[in-house]
Amino acid sequence: MTSQTSPASQRSAARKLLSRFLLLDGHNDLPWTLRQAGHEDLAAPDLASPVEFTHTDLPRIAAGGLSAQFWSVYVPATLSGDRAVTATLEQIDLVHRMIRRYPGVLELALTAADVDRIFAAGKVASLIGAEGGHSIASSLGVLRMLYGLGVRYLTLTHNANVPWADAATDEPAAGGLTAFGREVVREMQRLGMLVDLSHVSPATMRDALDCAEAPVIFSHSSARALCDHPRNVPDEILARLPGSGGVCMVTFVPSFISPECQAWENELTAEIEGRGMEPWDFGVRARIGPGWASGHPRPRATLAQVANHLEHVRELAGIDHVGIGSDFDGTDQVPDGLSDVSCYPALIAELLGRGWSEEDCARLAGGNILRVMREAEAAARAISERRGPSTAHIGDAGDAPLSPAPRPAG
């Protein structure tokens, strides 16, 4: 049943709801945006003031009711081995320095209890997620050290395969997870690090779910049934989330939520390929895209389409298995109505208008992912008691090189 309250009343109710309940976004690429703009020293810009070239700054965080954030420490999949590890460490360092620079607003969170405590103190609980298995260079030792530095989820791949797992946007090589890939999943869950299945192939999703002993997440993915993009989650996988306890955190990337936006991106890719150029090279897309778009207007995604994906995940997996993973600052386009981190209340208002209860919205906003964190922490304690300290070594991670693929949105 659709609520009969006015849009203004729904927006007011949404703002009040987000002042009382946790809002934890699963994915924000602000650290990479700052690095790419040459501001990794954090001397400028001042995030305490409005920033023109980002989706994220502290005033807009406050306006949006954002109370917890997984900051992505993304590095490109074109980096591999020691170079990928070094760049990831630099990104982790950037996040730690960003938190220290704004101690009155941000605070590092390592556990679900930390998130609760920091939220109660009126600050933004800041968590760290590593986007792509290339960041560990096929080393369980590096994985453990990233956990020690505060990383609380690892996305198993980015856009390119790693030697031990297939990505959604690369040609299959491993057929899912290799034996070492399954060991990575087991070690992550022994540590209490969330296994993030955004970016991976359906075969990798299935293999991870088969061997997982704790809930998994999709930190920023949407529903493939509504937009047939390889980065989205098939219904068969969404239907397995209740059995695993996992959460799909729906993203705002236009080509992942709008079939029209995806079709436009596909046409641009074909145009670039037709010119004999690499379609996922950001520089190439930046040069070709504007001129091509002048004769091919770029469609716009909408907030309502994001809400449609949230409702689809809820229908397939249940209200306990849906969340929000915006990918702000990781995409060059955003939906109308969701221009930056100040806009979360507009999305909650849309859902209230569709008949979602306050309890439903509270679970979506942060309750579900916080429950997953608690369950992952409890599973880690049980696994460690059963298995004892890890004695795993690198093992056979495979000899295939990482296939380079510059990063498209998401």
Side-chain angles (χ1 to χ4, degrees), residues 294-349:
S294 65
H296 304 78
R298 190 171 191 171
R300 301 288 302 180
T302 66
L303 180 154
Q305 288 176 309
V306 174
N308 292 343
H309 282 264
L310 291 169
E311 293 205 300
H312 185 83
V313 174
R314 175 184 176 172
E315 180 181 349
L316 263 291
I319 187 59
D320 293 322
H321 306 285
V322 60
I324 295 172
S326 65
D327 204 11
F328 279 132
D329 283 303
T331 174
D332 65 340
Q333 295 286 314
V334 289
D336 290 339
L338 290 170
S339 59
D340 55 46
V341 296
S342 70
C343 295
Y344 297 105
L347 181 58
I348 299 300

Side-chain angles (χ1 to χ4, degrees), residues 100-114:
R100 290 196 299 270
R101 185 173 176 83
Y102 302 99
V105 181
L106 307 178
E107 184 172 340
L108 181 67
L110 301 176
T111 65
D114 285 345

Side-chain angles (χ1 to χ4, degrees), residues 72-392:
S72 172
V73 290
Y74 161 80
V75 300
T78 48
L79 300 177
S80 61
D82 293 347
R83 294 173 64 226
V85 174
T86 298
T88 301
L89 293 175
E90 290 170 350
Q91 289 294 90
I92 294 170
D93 171 67
L94 192 160
V95 172
H96 280 280
R97 288 185 291 110
M98 182 176 74
I99 293 168
R100 290 196 299 270
R101 185 173 176 83
Y102 302 99
V105 181
L106 307 178
E107 184 172 340
L108 181 67
L110 301 176
T111 65
D114 285 345
V115 174
D116 281 332
R117 173 182 54 78
I118 294 166
F119 176 51
K123 295 197 285 186
V124 178
S126 294
L127 302 115
I128 300 174
E131 190 176 14
H134 57 293
S135 291
I136 68 169
S138 297
S139 167
L140 296 180
V142 171
L143 176 70
R144 288 188 283 269
M145 291 308 298
L146 294 189
Y147 180 85
L149 293 171
V151 173
R152 289 301 178 265
Y153 75 64
L154 174 70
T155 316
L156 298 187
T157 74
H158 193 247
N159 290 322
N161 298 336
V162 294
W164 43 271
D166 284 344
T169 48
D170 203 349
E171 292 298 320
L177 287 175
T178 67
F180 179 74
R182 291 188 288 274
E183 186 61 30
V184 170
V185 169
R186 287 191 289 267
E187 184 64 1
M188 289 174 67
Q189 296 198 320
R190 186 192 70 81
L191 293 167
M193 184 185 290
L194 299 177
V195 175
D196 178 19
L197 300 181
S198 286
H199 281 287
V200 307
S201 71
T204 302
M205 297 175 192
R206 288 190 290 269
D207 286 351
L209 284 166
D210 287 345
C211 69
E213 297 184 56
V216 303
I217 68 167
F218 293 85
S219 68
H220 59 307
S221 295
S222 297
R224 192 155 185 177
L226 300 190
C227 184
D228 190 19
H229 194 291
R231 271 282 284 103
N232 286 338
V233 188
D235 279 358
E236 62 158 310
I237 302 297
L238 292 175
R240 292 187 63 176
L241 287 182
S244 73
V247 170
C248 177
M249 308 181 82
V250 168
T251 192
F252 302 170
V253 178
S255 60
F256 299 171
I257 63 167
S258 163
E260 296 78 15
C261 291
Q262 184 199 7
W264 188 92
E265 292 285 353
N266 289 344
E267 290 167 4
L268 175 58
T269 296
E271 173 69 17
I272 294 171
E273 288 177 334
R275 300 186 189 191
M277 305 170 81
E278 170 52 56
W280 295 120
D281 184 315
F282 276 164
V284 170
R285 291 184 89 83
R287 290 195 305 273
I288 303 299
W292 187 80
S294 65
H296 304 78
R298 190 171 191 171
R300 301 288 302 180
T302 66
L303 180 154
Q305 288 176 309
V306 174
N308 292 343
H309 282 264
L310 291 169
E311 293 205 300
H312 185 83
V313 174
R314 175 184 176 172
E315 180 181 349
L316 263 291
I319 187 59
D320 293 322
H321 306 285
V322 60
I324 295 172
S326 65
D327 204 11
F328 279 132
D329 283 303
T331 174
D332 65 340
Q333 295 286 314
V334 289
D336 290 339
L338 290 170
S339 59
D340 55 46
V341 296
S342 70
C343 295
Y344 297 105
L347 181 58
I348 299 300
E350 171 75 14
L351 297 174
L352 291 171
R354 294 184 180 207
W356 287 46
S357 69
E358 282 201 350
E359 181 182 356
D360 292 341
C361 291
R363 291 183 185 182
L364 163 79
N368 290 337
I369 185 61
L370 201 61
R371 184 260 307 162
V372 166
M373 289 178 63
R374 291 193 184 101
E375 291 182 5
E377 292 164 13
R381 291 190 291 270
I383 293 168
S384 291
E385 288 173 3
R386 185 176 73 248
R387 292 171 52 190
S390 175
T391 57

